[in-house]
Amino acid sequence: MPDTLTARHLATVDAFFGGTFDPVHYGHLKPVEALAQQVGLNTVTLLPNNVPPHRPQPEATAQQRLAMVKLAIAGNPLFRVDDRELQRETPSYTIETLETLRKERGAKASLAFIIGQDSLLNLYKWHRWESLLSVCHLLVCARPGYRRQLDTPQLQAWFEEHAVTCAGRLSEKAAGFIYMADTPLVNVSATEIRKRRHAGQDCDHLLPVAVQNYIDSQGLYRE
Ligand code: ATP
């Protein structure tokens, strides 16, 4: 249960959650909903990625990924979507998007970026990863199958320097802390959903029905 002090403070934190969302699924939605409830976030804005050309491209187009996110969050007052990364011609790095958000919100606004535990483990691969905490806090959701030890000693030391165990501390400053949330483990990945669809298997209980219907109507993730 959230303590009321924490909940009152973190209502002012502007939280963002980036992803490819190819497709969006319960492994994205459920842990973030639990996190929001635990620490008292009022809103979480989903930021679908523009995937750089040198990486494996999503199977769904940017517009289809955006449409699926909108269907997944329809009627849920916690979530919003911001499609700024999809509107750019060039792929945008998370740090650049966060710097833009920081400029828009001002130096005093508390900003948080939410990631899954797998992303934390190899954060050192992200463009200018060491600058992330100068613009936001990091909120980390648990993900099944990912050990706690980080991939490099440098990343581990950075984590230990900035980690806080009490979410209420995030209200002490506008950026700079890492909080590992005790969120439910949801064993779903977009890769698994795409594989199941390719194999003609159902994906019931892995993602919202509205998103499943959209996938069917668009003929997505078929051979
Ligand atoms: P793929 O299987 O295609 O790599 P994915 O399911 O990991 O995709 P992404 O859109 O790449 O989904 O992930 C966006 C964010 O959501 C990342 O920070 C990732 O760590 C987090 N995330 C994805 N699935 C889960 C899950 N089951 N539990 C917790 N976090 C998750």
Side-chain angles (χ1 to χ4, degrees):
M1 291 292 287
D3 70 71
T4 49
L5 183 69
T6 297
R8 193 172 68 236
H9 282 311
L10 297 197
T12 58
V13 173
D14 226 346
F16 295 86
F17 181 43
T20 308
F21 304 126
D22 183 30
V24 63
H25 54 69
Y26 284 138
H28 299 125
L29 303 170
K30 301 274 184 207
V32 172
E33 281 179 312
L35 165 72
Q37 207 184 0
Q38 280 171 22
V39 305
L41 296 172
N42 269 352
T43 60
V44 173
T45 303
L46 277 69
L47 281 166
N49 291 336
N50 193 352
V51 180
H54 59 273
R55 304 232 187 107
Q57 289 299 297
E59 288 191 31
T61 65
Q63 288 318 310
Q64 287 170 326
R65 292 184 291 117
L66 178 62
M68 291 189 279
V69 167
K70 285 183 176 169
L71 287 167
I73 64 174
N76 186 331
L78 175 66
F79 291 116
R80 296 176 186 172
V81 61
D82 183 327
D83 66 354
R84 67 179 66 215
E85 293 198 348
L86 301 178
Q87 284 175 3
R88 292 173 50 148
E89 291 291 315
T90 50
S92 43
Y93 292 108
T94 298
I95 181 67
E96 292 172 356
T97 303
L98 288 166
E99 284 172 343
T100 307
L101 289 165
R102 167 61 66 202
K103 272 194 199 126
E104 288 172 11
R105 305 296 198 273
K108 288 189 180 153
S110 193
L111 292 187
F113 192 70
I114 301 170
I115 56 175
Q117 208 167 357
D118 56 309
S119 299
L120 176 67
L121 292 181
N122 57 29
L123 204 71
Y124 66 94
K125 292 180 182 162
W126 290 27
H127 181 58
R128 292 177 47 216
W129 67 273
E130 286 156 300
S131 301
L132 286 169
L133 290 180
S134 64
V135 278
C136 67
H137 298 297
L138 283 179
L139 304 179
V140 185
C141 290
R143 185 165 189 179
Y146 293 92
R147 66 194 192 287
R148 289 232 160 190
Q149 185 66 33
L150 304 185
D151 278 6
T152 69
Q154 192 194 4
L155 186 62
Q156 184 67 33
W158 175 84
F159 172 79
E160 283 164 17
E161 188 183 337
H162 299 286
V164 290
T165 52
C166 170
R169 294 210 46 204
L170 272 68
S171 59
E172 286 176 13
K173 51 186 187 177
F177 286 132
I178 306 170
Y179 176 70
M180 299 282 297
D182 185 18
T183 48
L185 295 174
V186 182
N187 196 9
V188 183
S189 70
T191 303
E192 181 199 358
I193 290 172
R194 294 193 302 271
K195 271 192 195 151
R196 290 184 69 84
R197 292 274 314 173
H198 288 310
Q201 295 167 330
D202 77 72
C203 295
D204 294 351
H205 313 300
L206 303 182
L207 69 175
V209 172
V211 179
Q212 288 196 60
N213 290 341
Y214 180 85
I215 289 172
D216 284 336
S217 72
Q218 298 283 307
L220 276 169
Y221 314 122
R222 291 217 186 108
E223 289 310 316

PDB file of all heavy atoms in Angstrom, residues 196-215:
ATOM      1  N   ARG A 196       3.728 -15.968 -31.285  1.00  0.00           N
ATOM      2  CA  ARG A 196       2.480 -16.733 -31.156  1.00  0.00           C
ATOM      3  C   ARG A 196       1.553 -16.459 -32.340  1.00  0.00           C
ATOM      4  O   ARG A 196       0.936 -17.355 -32.872  1.00  0.00           O
ATOM      5  CB  ARG A 196       1.774 -16.393 -29.832  1.00  0.00           C
ATOM      6  CG  ARG A 196       2.484 -16.920 -28.597  1.00  0.00           C
ATOM      7  CD  ARG A 196       1.683 -16.644 -27.329  1.00  0.00           C
ATOM      8  NE  ARG A 196       0.465 -17.451 -27.296  1.00  0.00           N
ATOM      9  CZ  ARG A 196       0.408 -18.706 -26.870  1.00  0.00           C
ATOM     10  NH1 ARG A 196       1.499 -19.300 -26.430  1.00  0.00           N
ATOM     11  NH2 ARG A 196      -0.730 -19.356 -26.869  1.00  0.00           N
ATOM     12  N   ARG A 197       1.483 -15.211 -32.749  1.00  0.00           N
ATOM     13  CA  ARG A 197       0.639 -14.868 -33.890  1.00  0.00           C
ATOM     14  C   ARG A 197       1.165 -15.557 -35.159  1.00  0.00           C
ATOM     15  O   ARG A 197       0.389 -16.101 -35.937  1.00  0.00           O
ATOM     16  CB  ARG A 197       0.652 -13.354 -34.118  1.00  0.00           C
ATOM     17  CG  ARG A 197      -0.021 -12.545 -33.031  1.00  0.00           C
ATOM     18  CD  ARG A 197      -1.489 -12.393 -33.211  1.00  0.00           C
ATOM     19  NE  ARG A 197      -1.865 -12.032 -34.562  1.00  0.00           N
ATOM     20  CZ  ARG A 197      -3.122 -11.966 -34.988  1.00  0.00           C
ATOM     21  NH1 ARG A 197      -4.114 -12.224 -34.167  1.00  0.00           N
ATOM     22  NH2 ARG A 197      -3.392 -11.629 -36.240  1.00  0.00           N
ATOM     23  N   HIS A 198       2.477 -15.526 -35.347  1.00  0.00           N
ATOM     24  CA  HIS A 198       3.058 -16.172 -36.537  1.00  0.00           C
ATOM     25  C   HIS A 198       2.738 -17.665 -36.553  1.00  0.00           C
ATOM     26  O   HIS A 198       2.558 -18.263 -37.605  1.00  0.00           O
ATOM     27  CB  HIS A 198       4.582 -15.979 -36.570  1.00  0.00           C
ATOM     28  CG  HIS A 198       4.996 -14.581 -36.902  1.00  0.00           C
ATOM     29  ND1 HIS A 198       4.498 -13.895 -37.974  1.00  0.00           N
ATOM     30  CD2 HIS A 198       5.871 -13.735 -36.306  1.00  0.00           C
ATOM     31  CE1 HIS A 198       5.039 -12.685 -38.016  1.00  0.00           C
ATOM     32  NE2 HIS A 198       5.866 -12.565 -37.004  1.00  0.00           N
ATOM     33  N   ALA A 199       2.676 -18.252 -35.356  1.00  0.00           N
ATOM     34  CA  ALA A 199       2.413 -19.690 -35.261  1.00  0.00           C
ATOM     35  C   ALA A 199       0.914 -19.992 -35.225  1.00  0.00           C
ATOM     36  O   ALA A 199       0.511 -21.140 -35.043  1.00  0.00           O
ATOM     37  CB  ALA A 199       3.089 -20.250 -34.001  1.00  0.00           C
ATOM     38  N   GLY A 200       0.089 -18.955 -35.356  1.00  0.00           N
ATOM     39  CA  GLY A 200      -1.363 -19.142 -35.365  1.00  0.00           C
ATOM     40  C   GLY A 200      -1.942 -19.444 -33.987  1.00  0.00           C
ATOM     41  O   GLY A 200      -3.047 -19.984 -33.879  1.00  0.00           O
ATOM     42  N   GLN A 201      -1.179 -19.106 -32.931  1.00  0.00           N
ATOM     43  CA  GLN A 201      -1.672 -19.363 -31.569  1.00  0.00           C
ATOM     44  C   GLN A 201      -2.391 -18.123 -31.030  1.00  0.00           C
ATOM     45  O   GLN A 201      -2.108 -17.008 -31.461  1.00  0.00           O
ATOM     46  CB  GLN A 201      -0.497 -19.717 -30.643  1.00  0.00           C
ATOM     47  CG  GLN A 201       0.176 -21.014 -31.036  1.00  0.00           C
ATOM     48  CD  GLN A 201       1.509 -21.194 -30.326  1.00  0.00           C
ATOM     49  OE1 GLN A 201       2.185 -20.227 -30.012  1.00  0.00           O
ATOM     50  NE2 GLN A 201       1.884 -22.431 -30.107  1.00  0.00           N
ATOM     51  N   ASP A 202      -3.281 -18.354 -30.060  1.00  0.00           N
ATOM     52  CA  ASP A 202      -4.016 -17.200 -29.526  1.00  0.00           C
ATOM     53  C   ASP A 202      -3.141 -16.421 -28.534  1.00  0.00           C
ATOM     54  O   ASP A 202      -2.162 -16.948 -28.010  1.00  0.00           O
ATOM     55  CB  ASP A 202      -5.327 -17.649 -28.876  1.00  0.00           C
ATOM     56  CG  ASP A 202      -5.091 -18.254 -27.516  1.00  0.00           C
ATOM     57  OD1 ASP A 202      -4.781 -17.496 -26.595  1.00  0.00           O
ATOM     58  OD2 ASP A 202      -5.201 -19.496 -27.381  1.00  0.00           O
ATOM     59  N   CYS A 203      -3.514 -15.177 -28.328  1.00  0.00           N
ATOM     60  CA  CYS A 203      -2.765 -14.317 -27.402  1.00  0.00           C
ATOM     61  C   CYS A 203      -3.686 -13.803 -26.308  1.00  0.00           C
ATOM     62  O   CYS A 203      -3.455 -12.727 -25.743  1.00  0.00           O
ATOM     63  CB  CYS A 203      -2.137 -13.157 -28.165  1.00  0.00           C
ATOM     64  SG  CYS A 203      -0.892 -13.680 -29.336  1.00  0.00           S
ATOM     65  N   ASP A 204      -4.740 -14.567 -26.023  1.00  0.00           N
ATOM     66  CA  ASP A 204      -5.692 -14.158 -24.992  1.00  0.00           C
ATOM     67  C   ASP A 204      -4.945 -13.919 -23.684  1.00  0.00           C
ATOM     68  O   ASP A 204      -4.017 -14.645 -23.353  1.00  0.00           O
ATOM     69  CB  ASP A 204      -6.750 -15.249 -24.779  1.00  0.00           C
ATOM     70  CG  ASP A 204      -7.615 -15.421 -26.030  1.00  0.00           C
ATOM     71  OD1 ASP A 204      -7.490 -14.585 -26.935  1.00  0.00           O
ATOM     72  OD2 ASP A 204      -8.376 -16.397 -26.086  1.00  0.00           O
ATOM     73  N   HIS A 205      -5.340 -12.943 -22.964  1.00  0.00           N
ATOM     74  CA  HIS A 205      -4.785 -12.576 -21.655  1.00  0.00           C
ATOM     75  C   HIS A 205      -3.383 -11.956 -21.730  1.00  0.00           C
ATOM     76  O   HIS A 205      -2.787 -11.680 -20.703  1.00  0.00           O
ATOM     77  CB  HIS A 205      -4.769 -13.769 -20.682  1.00  0.00           C
ATOM     78  CG  HIS A 205      -6.060 -14.515 -20.666  1.00  0.00           C
ATOM     79  ND1 HIS A 205      -7.256 -13.933 -20.314  1.00  0.00           N
ATOM     80  CD2 HIS A 205      -6.359 -15.794 -21.013  1.00  0.00           C
ATOM     81  CE1 HIS A 205      -8.236 -14.814 -20.417  1.00  0.00           C
ATOM     82  NE2 HIS A 205      -7.717 -15.954 -20.851  1.00  0.00           N
ATOM     83  N   LEU A 206      -2.844 -11.780 -22.925  1.00  0.00           N
ATOM     84  CA  LEU A 206      -1.511 -11.166 -23.026  1.00  0.00           C
ATOM     85  C   LEU A 206      -1.600  -9.670 -23.349  1.00  0.00           C
ATOM     86  O   LEU A 206      -0.661  -8.923 -23.094  1.00  0.00           O
ATOM     87  CB  LEU A 206      -0.666 -11.852 -24.107  1.00  0.00           C
ATOM     88  CG  LEU A 206      -0.453 -13.362 -23.960  1.00  0.00           C
ATOM     89  CD1 LEU A 206       0.434 -13.894 -25.080  1.00  0.00           C
ATOM     90  CD2 LEU A 206       0.149 -13.692 -22.597  1.00  0.00           C
ATOM     91  N   LEU A 207      -2.739  -9.274 -23.922  1.00  0.00           N
ATOM     92  CA  LEU A 207      -2.914  -7.869 -24.305  1.00  0.00           C
ATOM     93  C   LEU A 207      -4.411  -7.551 -24.380  1.00  0.00           C
ATOM     94  O   LEU A 207      -5.228  -8.480 -24.456  1.00  0.00           O
ATOM     95  CB  LEU A 207      -2.196  -7.552 -25.616  1.00  0.00           C
ATOM     96  CG  LEU A 207      -2.665  -8.109 -26.946  1.00  0.00           C
ATOM     97  CD1 LEU A 207      -1.826  -7.518 -28.074  1.00  0.00           C
ATOM     98  CD2 LEU A 207      -2.565  -9.610 -27.010  1.00  0.00           C
ATOM     99  N   PRO A 208      -4.781  -6.271 -24.324  1.00  0.00           N
ATOM    100  CA  PRO A 208      -6.210  -5.927 -24.290  1.00  0.00           C
ATOM    101  C   PRO A 208      -6.940  -6.424 -25.542  1.00  0.00           C
ATOM    102  O   PRO A 208      -6.369  -6.453 -26.641  1.00  0.00           O
ATOM    103  CB  PRO A 208      -6.212  -4.398 -24.239  1.00  0.00           C
ATOM    104  CG  PRO A 208      -4.883  -4.025 -23.696  1.00  0.00           C
ATOM    105  CD  PRO A 208      -3.925  -5.071 -24.168  1.00  0.00           C
ATOM    106  N   VAL A 209      -8.215  -6.776 -25.356  1.00  0.00           N
ATOM    107  CA  VAL A 209      -9.030  -7.309 -26.449  1.00  0.00           C
ATOM    108  C   VAL A 209      -9.098  -6.304 -27.613  1.00  0.00           C
ATOM    109  O   VAL A 209      -9.027  -6.684 -28.783  1.00  0.00           O
ATOM    110  CB  VAL A 209     -10.452  -7.639 -25.936  1.00  0.00           C
ATOM    111  CG1 VAL A 209     -11.376  -8.003 -27.083  1.00  0.00           C
ATOM    112  CG2 VAL A 209     -10.393  -8.780 -24.928  1.00  0.00           C
ATOM    113  N   ALA A 210      -9.229  -5.018 -27.294  1.00  0.00           N
ATOM    114  CA  ALA A 210      -9.333  -4.011 -28.360  1.00  0.00           C
ATOM    115  C   ALA A 210      -8.075  -4.037 -29.233  1.00  0.00           C
ATOM    116  O   ALA A 210      -8.153  -3.844 -30.454  1.00  0.00           O
ATOM    117  CB  ALA A 210      -9.537  -2.627 -27.754  1.00  0.00           C
ATOM    118  N   VAL A 211      -6.927  -4.276 -28.617  1.00  0.00           N
ATOM    119  CA  VAL A 211      -5.676  -4.332 -29.393  1.00  0.00           C
ATOM    120  C   VAL A 211      -5.644  -5.622 -30.220  1.00  0.00           C
ATOM    121  O   VAL A 211      -5.253  -5.608 -31.397  1.00  0.00           O
ATOM    122  CB  VAL A 211      -4.437  -4.239 -28.465  1.00  0.00           C
ATOM    123  CG1 VAL A 211      -3.141  -4.312 -29.275  1.00  0.00           C
ATOM    124  CG2 VAL A 211      -4.483  -2.959 -27.646  1.00  0.00           C
ATOM    125  N   GLN A 212      -6.096  -6.719 -29.628  1.00  0.00           N
ATOM    126  CA  GLN A 212      -6.170  -7.984 -30.387  1.00  0.00           C
ATOM    127  C   GLN A 212      -7.071  -7.829 -31.611  1.00  0.00           C
ATOM    128  O   GLN A 212      -6.737  -8.291 -32.703  1.00  0.00           O
ATOM    129  CB  GLN A 212      -6.743  -9.089 -29.507  1.00  0.00           C
ATOM    130  CG  GLN A 212      -5.792  -9.569 -28.436  1.00  0.00           C
ATOM    131  CD  GLN A 212      -6.276 -10.908 -27.881  1.00  0.00           C
ATOM    132  OE1 GLN A 212      -6.389 -11.881 -28.606  1.00  0.00           O
ATOM    133  NE2 GLN A 212      -6.556 -10.937 -26.590  1.00  0.00           N
ATOM    134  N   ASN A 213      -8.227  -7.186 -31.415  1.00  0.00           N
ATOM    135  CA  ASN A 213      -9.151  -6.994 -32.536  1.00  0.00           C
ATOM    136  C   ASN A 213      -8.518  -6.141 -33.636  1.00  0.00           C
ATOM    137  O   ASN A 213      -8.681  -6.404 -34.823  1.00  0.00           O
ATOM    138  CB  ASN A 213     -10.458  -6.344 -32.053  1.00  0.00           C
ATOM    139  CG  ASN A 213     -11.272  -7.303 -31.195  1.00  0.00           C
ATOM    140  OD1 ASN A 213     -11.051  -8.524 -31.241  1.00  0.00           O
ATOM    141  ND2 ASN A 213     -12.186  -6.779 -30.398  1.00  0.00           N
ATOM    142  N   TYR A 214      -7.784  -5.129 -33.210  1.00  0.00           N
ATOM    143  CA  TYR A 214      -7.107  -4.261 -34.194  1.00  0.00           C
ATOM    144  C   TYR A 214      -6.056  -5.069 -34.971  1.00  0.00           C
ATOM    145  O   TYR A 214      -5.958  -4.973 -36.200  1.00  0.00           O
ATOM    146  CB  TYR A 214      -6.449  -3.081 -33.469  1.00  0.00           C
ATOM    147  CG  TYR A 214      -5.727  -2.135 -34.410  1.00  0.00           C
ATOM    148  CD1 TYR A 214      -6.421  -1.120 -35.059  1.00  0.00           C
ATOM    149  CD2 TYR A 214      -4.359  -2.270 -34.647  1.00  0.00           C
ATOM    150  CE1 TYR A 214      -5.759  -0.250 -35.932  1.00  0.00           C
ATOM    151  CE2 TYR A 214      -3.689  -1.414 -35.509  1.00  0.00           C
ATOM    152  CZ  TYR A 214      -4.399  -0.412 -36.147  1.00  0.00           C
ATOM    153  OH  TYR A 214      -3.743   0.437 -37.007  1.00  0.00           O
ATOM    154  N   ILE A 215      -5.290  -5.877 -34.242  1.00  0.00           N
ATOM    155  CA  ILE A 215      -4.263  -6.713 -34.889  1.00  0.00           C
ATOM    156  C   ILE A 215      -4.913  -7.622 -35.935  1.00  0.00           C
ATOM    157  O   ILE A 215      -4.430  -7.746 -37.063  1.00  0.00           O
ATOM    158  CB  ILE A 215      -3.506  -7.542 -33.813  1.00  0.00           C
ATOM    159  CG1 ILE A 215      -2.621  -6.616 -32.981  1.00  0.00           C
ATOM    160  CG2 ILE A 215      -2.681  -8.658 -34.448  1.00  0.00           C
ATOM    161  CD1 ILE A 215      -1.971  -7.281 -31.771  1.00  0.00           C
TER     162      ILE A 215
END
